[in-house]
Structures are given as structure tokens and as C-alpha cells.
Amino acid sequence: MVGLLLMLQLYFVASHRNVHVPQPSASPPLRHKHSPQAGIKPLIDEFLDKNSPLRHLFFPDIKSAIHPANGSHYYRPGHIWLDTQGNPIQAHGGGVLYDETSHTYYWYGEYRQVGVIGVGCYSSKDLWTWQNQGIVLSAQQINNETHKSNMLERPKVIYNDKTGKYVMWMHVDDVHYRKAAVGIAISDRPTGPFQYLGSRRPHGFDSRDMTIFKDDNGVAYIIYSSKMNTELHIGPLTEDYLDVQPNMRRILVGQRREAPAVFKYQGTYYMITSACTGWAPNEAKVDAAESIMGPWETIGDPCIGGKEMFRLTTFLSQSTFVLPLLGLPGSYIFMADRWNPAELNDSRYVWLPLAIGGRPLESNSSGSQSPWPRVSIHWHKKWRLPLSWRL
């Protein structure tokens, strides 16, 4: 094993190009986030092992941090990303809201130290320089539902045009993932403070990894993993975005998918999900639908570039959000987390360009020619937004 690690390390140092990942074994059984998946060897073992000599390749130290003061505007997936005050950004499992009133982007996510402190918020005009707006929803405000020994995950915020409220939905759970509920909070401002309204199980079902999506007509939807992560549920929210309506569809039944990230292009809905392998990364998949309520059809793995098995682990990350680039139709930023289970507060962000277009995949889930255009997430060690992009 020592010899193998030395060979891998020499390869990385010599090439400085792509990560080589070995072929995964058969699909593992369903695991909770706190139970690492052990079937993808040996790289996943090294990824999960905080004492691995290869650890620094997946989690570079502070010396190579992305700092807004250097003026390069290069994204470097997997590196420490600093805010305008020079502190690592804490917005894990998050999402981005574009506020039309202030022409500002707000990035919300899990603010972690030893446990979850609350929901952090960062603001930006250029999607690269982020100012810390503080904790907009403290775990202490939630009646101990998100005490540091419990879970607050994947917060997402949308704006309700009718009520003028900013509405946050999130996954709330206990340390054993048995509560399996959603929490809801509201605010008059994107920077909070948010008022916590309580938690519930949507449609009466367990809910774990989740997201919300606001459509062009203002109708919002919740998408969540349910029935012990064996299927996804999707349904519209009420007009005030504070509860679910009774109609719900079960989708991707039996596929064991989580980490949904939904976006729309030219009337078609797309959703990126991951498999359920604990904190270990796995292959992303894209599904498409003409109606957000389905039916949804799997159209393949969107990852392009790097070594094959690097792609088959979604570049060692897990989807959390897809952000449209204003003024560039068909262009998006794929947001993902490179989880560090040894120190979750040191988990990194993998932001990569996502594009829609080009020749469709040769076959879809039914084995026939796919009618959908290709969805592509391109790997880059470093990249910048196109010069034509303007806020």
C-alpha cells in the first residue's frame, strides 16, 4: 500500500494535470452521511482518510487559498476560498439568490465550526469577491432543533414577489438522521435576520437532501430525497412559500439519488443529483423533463475532462446548486461541495462552468437516442467567467 501511495504521489507531482481515480466497485448499500462509503478504492479511502499522505492534493492548504485581493478572478476548485476579510468562506451545501432590487448575489450555506453554527450569508457583485454578511439564522434560534450535535443542511433562499419576504428552506435532522424534516424561515431582507417558523415532514414523508426551485411564473417547488433516500418527491409550495401544497409526485423511484440541483433552459427542466454513498463522492447524473412534475428522464453523466474515474466521482464533489449566468443563455455555474468528513468546516467548494447545447448523448435511460441536448460540466484546475459576462 505504501508503494502504491508513493507511485500516486509521484504521478500527481509530475503531471499537475488530472486526478487518477481507480474503477469503483459494485453499487454500495444505502448509507447515511455520517457513514462513509468504503466501496470505491483506493482513492476514496485516501480522500476520506485525514492521515493520508495524499490528503493535501484534495484539500490544499491556506498558502494556495483563493483570495479576492490578488485580483486574478480565477476560480480554483478545491482550494480554500477567502472572503474580503481574508477568512475562509463558510457556506457549505448552499445556494445563491440574485436580488433584483440591489443587483447583488447572496450566497447562503452551512456555517460550520465543530458543529453547525447556523446559516452564513455572503454578498457579491461579481460572483468572485464575497463579503461576509454574518450568521443570518443562528442554530440557537431554532429551539435546539439544530443544536451543534444535530444537523442543519442545504439551506436555500428564494424571494416571494407577492409577500415581499425572503423565504429559507433547509434540511433539519438529528445526529442519527431520524428526524428527516424541513425547516422554514423568513426575513424582510436578504441579509436577515431570518425568523425560524418551525419544521415539518413535507407531505407527511421523511425528507433529507432537498432544494427549492422558483419557476418563471413565480410558482415555487420543493424537491427532496425520501423513503430512506430511495426516491425523490417533488411538489409545489403554497403562494406564500411557507408550506407545501397537497399534490406531490414520486420521481426517480428506486434509484437512490440525493443532492438535487434544479435549473431550467428554454422551457426544459434539468436536475443534477448524486448517488447515496455517505460523504464519499460518486457519479453525477442529469435528468430532464418537459414539466417540472415529470416524468423525468435520465440523460447521463454531465462531467467532462480529467481522468475517467475523476469524472465518475463528479471531480470529487457533490452537487448543491446550479446558478444561471445573467446575459449568457445556456451558461451556468455548477456549484458543488468537496466534503471533508474529517473536518466538515474545511470542506471545499467546486465551482465549474456548465453549458447546455451540442450533440445529445447517444442513448438515454431507455437505450434510445436522447431527445435532450447535452448538459456539460467542464473540469478546469482554474478558470474565469467569460469577459462578455456582465451583471
Side-chain angles (χ1 to χ4, degrees):
M1 184 64 173
V2 174
L4 175 61
L5 294 179
L6 180 59
M7 289 176 63
L8 282 171
Q9 191 166 17
L10 289 173
Y11 169 79
F12 285 130
V13 171
S15 65
H16 287 281
R17 294 180 63 187
N18 300 309
V19 176
H20 172 73
V21 187
Q23 184 69 31
S25 61
S27 298
L30 178 65
R31 302 286 183 99
H32 292 310
K33 281 288 179 67
H34 61 282
S35 295
Q37 179 258 12
I40 302 177
K41 299 180 179 180
L43 186 135
I44 296 304
D45 288 347
E46 302 306 319
F47 176 85
L48 296 173
D49 182 3
K50 66 179 180 180
N51 297 315
S52 166
L54 300 182
R55 187 73 169 180
H56 70 283
L57 297 170
F58 309 136
F59 299 97
D61 61 23
I62 193 70
K63 294 179 181 179
S64 61
I66 307 172
H67 199 299
N70 65 23
S72 68
H73 286 72
Y74 278 105
Y75 297 96
R76 290 180 171 85
H79 287 238
I80 296 175
W81 197 346
L82 305 180
D83 62 22
T84 54
Q85 296 182 343
N87 300 312
I89 294 174
Q90 290 285 337
H92 312 289
V96 173
L97 166 74
Y98 176 65
D99 184 59
E100 295 182 355
T101 301
S102 60
H103 302 288
T104 302
Y105 288 94
Y106 293 94
W107 181 6
Y108 305 89
E110 305 159 26
Y111 196 102
R112 292 179 172 271
Q113 290 179 0
V114 176
V116 180
I117 305 302
V119 177
C121 175
Y122 296 81
S123 63
S124 176
K125 295 287 189 178
D126 59 10
L127 291 176
W128 187 79
T129 304
W130 293 94
Q131 180 179 355
N132 188 358
Q133 297 293 338
I135 304 297
V136 296
L137 180 68
S138 170
Q140 296 179 350
Q141 301 174 35
I142 312 180
N143 300 322
N144 295 322
E145 284 192 274
T146 55
H147 182 269
K148 65 181 181 180
S149 63
N150 294 335
M151 305 294 168
L152 184 164
E153 298 179 336
R154 297 183 172 269
K156 303 293 186 291
V157 176
I158 54 177
Y159 178 71
N160 190 303
D161 301 278
K162 294 181 178 180
T163 65
K165 300 288 187 179
Y166 295 86
V167 183
M168 178 188 298
W169 285 64
M170 72 212 83
H171 169 209
V172 294
D173 225 317
D174 58 43
V175 70
H176 301 293
Y177 285 88
R178 292 175 299 199
K179 182 180 179 66
V182 295
I184 303 98
I186 60 171
S187 175
D188 294 325
R189 298 182 299 274
T191 54
F194 280 78
Q195 177 189 357
Y196 188 66
L197 301 180
S199 67
R200 68 205 67 178
R201 284 191 163 189
H203 309 107
F205 288 93
D206 58 303
S207 171
R208 292 178 172 83
D209 277 11
M210 51 74 60
T211 192
I212 50 176
F213 173 77
K214 180 180 176 181
D215 210 342
D216 301 331
N217 59 4
V219 178
Y221 297 82
I222 182 172
I223 304 96
Y224 58 96
S225 297
S226 191
K227 302 194 75 172
M228 293 300 295
N229 288 352
T230 59
E231 60 190 42
L232 293 181
H233 293 176
I234 184 169
L237 303 183
T238 53
E239 286 192 4
D240 57 10
Y241 299 170
L242 302 183
D243 203 349
V244 296
Q245 296 189 38
N247 50 318
M248 178 272 288
R249 293 284 181 88
R250 301 165 60 211
I251 61 175
L252 309 190
V253 176
Q255 295 190 34
R256 293 184 174 178
R257 308 300 295 179
E258 64 178 8
V262 179
F263 56 106
K264 185 179 182 181
Y265 176 62
Q266 292 187 345
T268 298
Y269 300 88
Y270 298 90
M271 177 169 55
I272 298 176
T273 59
S274 79
C276 301
T277 52
W279 295 111
N282 54 66
E283 183 180 10
K285 288 186 179 179
V286 180
D287 287 81
E290 293 181 355
S291 166
I292 193 169
M293 296 293 282
W296 288 83
E297 181 179 9
T298 302
I299 60 176
D301 183 347
C303 297
I304 295 176
K307 296 292 183 179
E308 179 183 7
M309 291 311 302
F310 193 36
R311 296 192 298 271
L312 291 180
T313 54
T314 317
F315 312 122
L316 295 175
S317 69
Q318 184 185 43
S319 53
T320 184
F321 196 75
V322 175
L323 174 64
L325 285 177
L326 298 178
L328 292 177
S331 297
Y332 302 80
I333 294 178
F334 170 69
M335 296 171 52
D337 296 288
R338 182 170 291 176
W339 296 112
N340 181 353
E343 297 178 82
L344 286 172
N345 61 300
D346 189 39
S347 298
R348 309 296 175 81
Y349 312 104
V350 175
W351 285 28
L352 290 168
L354 181 151
I356 301 177
R359 189 168 64 88
L361 298 174
E362 294 183 1
S363 62
N364 53 24
S365 54
S366 64
S368 59
Q369 180 71 35
S370 174
W372 313 102
R374 180 181 291 274
V375 175
S376 304
I377 300 171
H378 298 270
W379 169 252
H380 299 278
K381 288 188 64 177
K382 67 175 185 177
W383 65 283
R384 298 178 65 176
L385 290 172
L387 295 177
S388 59
W389 179 78
R390 294 289 185 273
L391 181 57

